[in-house]
Amino acid sequence: MEQNENTLSVLKIAPGQHPQQVEIDNDLKALQQAVGGSIGASYPFADPVAIVYNDDGKLMGLPLNRALRDENGQMYDTVAGDFLVVGLGEEDFASLTPEITQKYEQLFHQPEAFLKLGNRLLVLPVPDEPPAEKPRTKPPAEHDR
């Protein structure tokens, strides 16, 4: 993928889908378009990366996408709607390196489903393959019993 200073190679992660490596313009309008509204950025990782998300995603009721977890694997937040994993340059967002792209593709690879149980949120990995349908057996007719 050839890129110039004005495009970024980033990961785009949509609810229910695997991450996709995409090229986007390095400007506010393109970032807003990618997440569907005003952007927020979060820096939850030690790597030089940011998560760019729709700042109003939860208020707008966008579908929950992925859980953010601390180093112990405990969920501390969720991201609603599409989000990007972008690299951090000296003053601006930057393209992800191939190693970082691979790391975060693996981290966010598995789509997640969210179930609200009372005031708790349960996070479940979404299986890649739908379970095979069991062949339905016809219930015996009255005279077969």
Side-chain angles (χ1 to χ4, degrees), residues 1 3 8-13 18-23 47-49 85-87 94-109:
M1 283 192 208
Q3 61 190 56
L8 299 176
S9 177
V10 302
L11 281 176
K12 181 172 185 173
I13 301 160
H18 296 297
Q20 287 185 301
Q21 190 169 358
V22 296
E23 301 280 326
D47 292 316
V49 298
V85 179
V86 301
S95 288
L96 297 171
T97 65
E99 301 78 36
I100 297 268
T101 299
Q102 186 177 11
K103 177 178 179 178
Y104 287 92
E105 198 289 329
Q106 288 173 347
L107 181 69
F108 291 118
H109 181 76

Coordinates of all heavy atoms in Angstrom, one line a residue, residues 1 3 8-13 18-23 47-49 85-87 94-109:
M1 N 0.8 -1.2 0.0 CA 0.0 0.0 0.0 C 0.9 1.2 0.0 O 1.6 1.5 0.9 CB -0.8 0.0 1.3 CG -2.0 -0.9 1.2 SD -3.1 -0.5 2.6 CE -3.8 -2.0 2.9
Q3 N 1.4 5.1 0.4 CA 0.7 6.2 1.0 C 1.5 7.5 1.0 O 2.8 7.4 1.0 CB 0.3 5.8 2.4 CG 1.5 5.5 3.3 CD 1.0 4.9 4.6 OE1 0.3 3.9 4.6 NE2 1.4 5.5 5.7
L8 N -3.5 7.9 6.1 CA -3.0 7.0 7.2 C -3.5 5.6 6.9 O -4.6 5.4 6.4 CB -3.7 7.5 8.5 CG -3.5 8.9 9.0 CD1 -4.3 9.2 10.2 CD2 -2.0 9.1 9.2
S9 N -2.6 4.7 7.3 CA -3.0 3.3 7.3 C -3.4 2.9 8.7 O -2.5 3.0 9.6 CB -1.8 2.4 6.8 OG -2.1 1.1 6.9
V10 N -4.7 2.6 8.9 CA -5.2 2.4 10.3 C -6.1 1.2 10.3 O -6.4 0.6 9.2 CB -6.0 3.7 10.7 CG1 -5.2 4.9 10.7 CG2 -7.3 3.9 9.9
L11 N -6.5 0.8 11.5 CA -7.5 -0.3 11.6 C -8.8 0.3 11.9 O -9.0 1.2 12.8 CB -7.1 -1.2 12.8 CG -6.0 -2.2 12.5 CD1 -5.7 -3.0 13.8 CD2 -6.4 -3.2 11.5
K12 N -9.8 -0.1 11.1 CA -11.2 0.3 11.4 C -11.9 -0.9 11.9 O -11.9 -2.0 11.4 CB -11.9 0.8 10.1 CG -13.3 1.2 10.3 CD -13.9 1.9 9.1 CE -15.3 2.4 9.5 NZ -15.9 3.2 8.4
I13 N -12.6 -0.7 13.0 CA -13.3 -1.8 13.7 C -14.8 -1.4 13.8 O -15.1 -0.5 14.5 CB -12.6 -2.1 15.1 CG1 -11.2 -2.4 14.8 CG2 -13.4 -3.2 15.8 CD1 -10.3 -2.3 16.0
H18 N -14.7 -8.2 12.0 CA -13.3 -8.2 12.3 C -12.6 -6.9 11.9 O -13.2 -6.2 11.0 CB -12.6 -9.4 11.5 CG -13.1 -10.7 11.9 ND1 -12.9 -11.2 13.2 CD2 -13.8 -11.7 11.2 CE1 -13.5 -12.4 13.3 NE2 -14.0 -12.7 12.1
P19 N -11.5 -6.5 12.5 CA -10.9 -5.3 12.1 C -10.4 -5.3 10.6 O -10.1 -6.4 10.1 CB -9.6 -5.2 13.0 CG -9.9 -6.1 14.1 CD -10.8 -7.2 13.6
Q20 N -10.5 -4.1 10.0 CA -10.0 -4.0 8.6 C -9.0 -3.0 8.5 O -9.1 -1.9 9.1 CB -11.2 -3.5 7.7 CG -12.2 -4.6 7.4 CD -13.3 -4.0 6.5 OE1 -13.9 -3.0 6.7 NE2 -13.4 -4.7 5.3
Q21 N -7.9 -3.3 7.8 CA -6.9 -2.2 7.6 C -7.4 -1.3 6.4 O -7.8 -1.8 5.4 CB -5.6 -2.9 7.2 CG -4.4 -1.9 7.2 CD -3.1 -2.6 7.0 OE1 -3.0 -3.8 7.0 NE2 -2.0 -1.8 7.0
V22 N -7.4 0.0 6.7 CA -8.0 0.9 5.7 C -7.0 2.1 5.6 O -6.2 2.4 6.5 CB -9.4 1.4 6.1 CG1 -10.4 0.3 6.1 CG2 -9.4 2.1 7.4
E23 N -7.1 2.8 4.5 CA -6.4 4.0 4.3 C -7.4 5.2 4.4 O -8.5 5.1 3.7 CB -5.8 4.1 2.8 CG -4.9 3.0 2.5 CD -3.5 3.2 3.1 OE1 -3.1 4.4 3.1 OE2 -2.8 2.2 3.5
D47 N 1.5 1.3 23.8 CA 2.0 1.6 22.5 C 1.6 3.0 22.0 O 0.7 3.5 22.5 CB 1.4 0.5 21.5 CG 1.9 -0.9 21.7 OD1 3.1 -1.0 21.9 OD2 1.1 -1.8 21.7
P48 N 2.4 3.5 21.0 CA 2.0 4.8 20.5 C 0.8 4.8 19.6 O 0.9 4.9 18.4 CB 3.3 5.3 19.8 CG 3.9 4.0 19.4 CD 3.6 3.0 20.4
V49 N -0.3 4.4 20.1 CA -1.6 4.4 19.4 C -2.7 5.1 20.1 O -2.6 5.3 21.3 CB -2.0 2.9 19.1 CG1 -1.0 2.1 18.3 CG2 -2.3 2.2 20.4
V85 N -8.1 2.4 15.2 CA -6.9 2.4 15.9 C -5.9 3.1 15.0 O -5.7 2.6 13.9 CB -6.4 0.9 16.2 CG1 -5.1 1.0 17.0 CG2 -7.5 0.2 17.1
V86 N -5.3 4.2 15.5 CA -4.4 5.0 14.7 C -3.1 5.1 15.4 O -3.0 4.9 16.7 CB -4.9 6.4 14.4 CG1 -6.3 6.3 13.7 CG2 -5.1 7.2 15.7
G87 N -2.0 5.3 14.7 CA -0.7 5.5 15.3 C -0.6 6.9 15.8 O -1.3 7.8 15.4
A94 N -0.7 9.1 13.1 CA 0.2 8.6 12.1 C -0.3 7.2 11.7 O -1.2 6.6 12.3 CB 1.6 8.5 12.7
S95 N 0.3 6.7 10.6 CA 0.0 5.3 10.2 C 0.5 4.3 11.2 O 1.5 4.6 11.9 CB 0.6 5.0 8.8 OG 0.0 5.7 7.8
L96 N -0.2 3.2 11.3 CA 0.3 2.1 12.1 C 1.4 1.3 11.5 O 1.4 1.1 10.2 CB -0.9 1.1 12.4 CG -2.1 1.7 13.1 CD1 -3.2 0.6 13.1 CD2 -1.7 2.0 14.6
T97 N 2.4 0.9 12.2 CA 3.4 0.0 11.7 C 2.8 -1.3 11.4 O 1.8 -1.7 12.1 CB 4.6 -0.1 12.6 OG1 4.2 -0.8 13.8 CG2 5.2 1.2 13.0
P98 N 3.4 -2.2 10.6 CA 2.9 -3.5 10.4 C 2.8 -4.3 11.7 O 1.8 -5.0 11.9 CB 3.9 -4.1 9.4 CG 4.4 -3.0 8.6 CD 4.5 -1.9 9.6
E99 N 3.8 -4.2 12.5 CA 3.8 -4.9 13.8 C 2.6 -4.5 14.7 O 1.9 -5.3 15.3 CB 5.1 -4.8 14.6 CG 6.3 -5.2 13.8 CD 6.8 -4.2 12.8 OE1 6.7 -3.0 13.0 OE2 7.3 -4.6 11.7
I100 N 2.4 -3.2 14.8 CA 1.4 -2.7 15.6 C 0.0 -3.0 15.0 O -0.9 -3.4 15.7 CB 1.5 -1.1 15.8 CG1 2.8 -0.8 16.5 CG2 0.3 -0.5 16.4 CD1 2.7 -0.6 18.0
T101 N -0.1 -2.9 13.7 CA -1.3 -3.3 13.0 C -1.7 -4.8 13.4 O -2.8 -5.0 13.7 CB -1.2 -3.2 11.5 OG1 -0.9 -1.8 11.2 CG2 -2.5 -3.6 10.7
Q102 N -0.7 -5.6 13.3 CA -1.0 -7.1 13.6 C -1.4 -7.2 15.1 O -2.3 -8.0 15.4 CB 0.3 -7.9 13.3 CG 0.0 -9.4 13.4 CD 1.2 -10.2 13.0 OE1 2.3 -9.7 12.8 NE2 1.0 -11.5 12.9
K103 N -0.7 -6.5 16.0 CA -1.0 -6.7 17.4 C -2.4 -6.3 17.7 O -3.2 -7.0 18.4 CB 0.0 -5.8 18.2 CG -0.3 -5.8 19.7 CD 0.7 -5.0 20.4 CE 0.5 -5.0 21.9 NZ 1.5 -4.2 22.7
Y104 N -2.9 -5.1 17.2 CA -4.2 -4.7 17.5 C -5.3 -5.4 16.6 O -6.4 -5.5 17.1 CB -4.3 -3.1 17.4 CG -3.6 -2.6 18.6 CD1 -2.2 -2.2 18.5 CD2 -4.2 -2.4 19.8 CE1 -1.5 -1.8 19.6 CE2 -3.5 -2.0 20.9 CZ -2.2 -1.7 20.8 OH -1.5 -1.3 21.9
E105 N -4.9 -5.9 15.5 CA -5.9 -6.7 14.8 C -6.2 -8.0 15.6 O -7.3 -8.4 15.7 CB -5.3 -7.1 13.4 CG -6.3 -7.7 12.4 CD -6.9 -9.0 12.7 OE1 -6.2 -9.9 13.3 OE2 -8.1 -9.2 12.3
Q106 N -5.1 -8.5 16.2 CA -5.4 -9.7 17.1 C -6.1 -9.3 18.4 O -7.0 -10.0 18.8 CB -4.0 -10.4 17.5 CG -3.4 -11.1 16.3 CD -2.0 -11.6 16.6 OE1 -1.3 -11.2 17.6 NE2 -1.5 -12.4 15.7
L107 N -5.8 -8.2 19.0 CA -6.4 -7.8 20.2 C -7.9 -7.6 20.0 O -8.8 -8.0 20.8 CB -5.8 -6.5 20.7 CG -6.4 -5.9 22.0 CD1 -6.1 -6.8 23.2 CD2 -6.0 -4.5 22.3
F108 N -8.3 -7.0 18.8 CA -9.7 -6.6 18.6 C -10.3 -7.6 17.5 O -11.4 -7.3 17.0 CB -9.9 -5.2 18.1 CG -9.6 -4.2 19.2 CD1 -8.5 -3.3 19.0 CD2 -10.3 -4.1 20.3 CE1 -8.2 -2.3 20.0 CE2 -10.1 -3.2 21.3 CZ -9.0 -2.3 21.1
H109 N -9.6 -8.7 17.2 CA -10.1 -9.6 16.2 C -11.5 -10.1 16.4 O -12.3 -10.1 15.5 CB -9.1 -10.8 16.0 CG -9.5 -11.7 14.9 ND1 -9.3 -11.4 13.6 CD2 -10.1 -12.9 14.9 CE1 -9.8 -12.3 12.8 NE2 -10.3 -13.3 13.6

